[in-house]
Amino acid sequence: NLLFIGSFRHFPNVRAYQFFVGQVWPLLENQHPAIRATVVAGPYPHLYWPHPAPHARIELRGFTADVRPLYSDANLVLIPTVVSAGTNLKALEAMAMQRAIVSTSSGVAGLGLEHGRSVWIADSAQEFAAAILRLLDDADLRATLAVNARNIAVARYGWPALAELQTELWRSLLVP
């Protein structure tokens, strides 16, 4: 199971979806007959993407109040962004949920993730599809990426780490 979460109200997520269904999915659909993809496109996705999902094994959902069960069911989280214009919160969420991520470079920019260690980075459709197939077939590598990404999320973005940064900021402002 593949999971992509990105509100279509944000244009880069529509472009990411176009890249995935138009260029990546055709390379996957016949290679792995059990592969399925769930796309959570936020409220009213039909306003931004008026077409149905191009394949019966791609589920296009609107707003989903609780995505945790989707993460639990997912083997891989996809971040196929081709243009970057956001905070990469979808990557942080996947990291916190301890899920292996296949992303373009822009999808995880600035988060300090390392290709092959805490994320799999693939920028072309061929690389993206090959990464998905490889990780679906290699549970150990998927688990390693997921654990390492979770450790980074906790160490750099968890409440204790953020509280320490906030404390340092206050100290720097209060002490001459």
Side-chain angles (χ1 to χ4, degrees), residues 41-54:
Y44 312 110
H46 60 279
L47 294 176
Y48 311 97
W49 185 260
H51 314 290

Side-chain angles (χ1 to χ4, degrees), residues 6-21:
S7 174
F8 283 8
R9 291 185 295 182
H10 187 56
F11 180 72
N13 291 327
V14 174
R15 292 285 294 125
Y17 178 73
Q18 285 178 305
F19 171 67
F20 175 68
V21 298

Side-chain angles (χ1 to χ4, degrees), residues 21-91:
V21 298
Q23 296 179 45
V24 177
W25 183 261
L27 301 172
L28 296 173
E29 63 183 323
N30 296 323
Q31 297 295 316
H32 211 292
I35 199 168
R36 303 186 67 74
T38 301
V39 178
V40 180
Y44 312 110
H46 60 279
L47 294 176
Y48 311 97
W49 185 260
H51 314 290
H55 196 282
R57 293 185 315 211
I58 298 175
E59 178 187 7
L60 183 58
R61 291 180 170 215
F63 174 76
T64 303
D66 186 0
V67 294
R68 290 174 298 176
L70 299 176
Y71 278 107
S72 294
D73 291 342
N75 298 98
L76 287 172
V77 172
L78 308 180
I79 307 175
T81 57
V82 292
V83 292
S84 182
T87 59
N88 296 338
L89 287 176
K90 64 176 66 60

Side-chain angles (χ1 to χ4, degrees), residues 5 33 38 43 162 170 173:
I5 297 180
T38 301
L162 295 177
W170 281 109
L173 295 172

Side-chain angles (χ1 to χ4, degrees), residues 13 18 35 49 91-93 99 101 113 120 130 138 152 162 168 173-174:
N13 291 327
Q18 285 178 305
I35 199 168
W49 185 260
L92 289 172
E93 185 174 77
R99 285 294 172 252
I101 301 168
L113 300 179
W120 200 272
D138 192 338
I152 290 169
L162 295 177
E168 289 174 21
L173 295 172
L174 295 174

